[in-house]
């Protein structure tokens, strides 16, 4: 049996009161056309916090001080052949104005009321944004202990 090696990803909830910043996925091969959050994989030798700061700058052109990021949720999920550990960070403090830095992967940005997300929001993103009010952990597509 081979050693289990999940992928580690970060998601960034950029908030202004009850609104959050969403990105519409394009040309990624996964959930294209759906709304999601700034996100990405943690690179070799990089901390999750550093990855969140890097992804926010690469994707939406904002700089987030490390002290402004709060870990708010952990999602363990199985997607196709991969298993992910997703760390969800939230911030209300950042420098700059969010802009679409990756038009080849993102069709656009929008601020959305967290209670009234677009219908075509990624289902697991919708689930986490709802669940994080009551819990700090969730899982999708994995065996559950009852």
């Amino acid at each position: 049996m081979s050693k289990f090696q999940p992928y580690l990803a970060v998601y960034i909830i950029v908030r202004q009161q009850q609104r959050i910043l969403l990105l519409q996925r394009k040309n990624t091969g996964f959930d294209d056309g759906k709304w999601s959050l700034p996100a990405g994989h943690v690179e070799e030798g990089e901390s999750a916090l550093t990855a969140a700061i890097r992804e926010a700058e690469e994707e939406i052109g904002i700089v987030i001080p490390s002290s402004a990021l709060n870990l708010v949720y952990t999602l363990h999920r199985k997607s196709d052949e991969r298993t992910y550990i997703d760390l969800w960070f939230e911030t209300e403090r950042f420098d700059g104005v969010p802009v679409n830095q990756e038009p080849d992967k993102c069709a656009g940005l929008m601020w959305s009321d967290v209670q009234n997300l677009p219908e075509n929001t990624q289902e697991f993103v919708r689930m986490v944004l709802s669940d994080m009010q009551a819990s700090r952990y969730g899982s999708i597509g994995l065996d559950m202990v009852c």
Side-chain angles (χ1 to χ4, degrees):
M1 180 190 262
S2 64
K3 185 176 178 182
F4 173 63
Q5 295 181 327
Y7 289 81
L8 183 59
V10 292
Y11 285 75
I12 306 103
I13 303 165
V14 179
R15 187 181 287 274
Q16 287 184 337
Q17 289 90 33
Q18 290 301 311
R19 297 181 325 149
I20 60 170
L21 185 66
L22 298 176
L23 290 75
Q24 190 171 35
R25 300 178 62 81
K26 176 176 108 176
N27 297 326
T28 67
F30 178 70
D31 281 351
D32 289 331
K34 294 193 177 181
W35 291 96
S36 190
L37 299 168
H41 293 102
V42 177
E43 296 177 358
E44 180 71 31
E46 181 179 52
S47 75
L49 191 64
T50 300
I53 292 166
R54 175 183 51 76
E55 289 291 347
E57 190 166 358
E58 286 177 2
E59 292 186 8
I60 56 175
I62 63 172
V63 176
I64 303 172
S66 61
S67 62
L69 280 168
N70 297 308
L71 180 63
V72 294
Y73 200 85
T74 303
L75 179 64
H76 190 184
R77 69 181 167 94
K78 182 137 177 68
S79 173
D80 300 325
E81 293 85 40
R82 291 182 173 183
T83 300
Y84 284 90
I85 305 292
D86 297 332
L87 301 177
W88 299 64
F89 292 92
E90 184 175 59
T91 189
E92 288 187 11
R93 286 189 3 221
F94 54 89
D95 294 320
V97 176
V99 295
N100 183 359
Q101 297 278 100
E102 298 182 323
D104 56 318
K105 297 180 189 176
C106 177
L109 307 178
M110 85 163 160
W111 290 99
S112 174
D113 186 308
V114 73
Q115 301 300 325
N116 190 24
L117 297 170
E119 272 189 46
N120 60 337
T121 299
Q122 281 182 307
E123 203 52 48
F124 71 94
V125 170
R126 181 184 301 280
M127 182 208 84
V128 168
L129 292 171
S130 173
D131 192 40
M132 67 184 248
Q133 305 309 312
S135 178
R136 295 291 178 235
Y137 171 81
S139 67
I140 297 173
L142 299 159
D143 292 337
M144 296 294 293
V145 175
C146 297

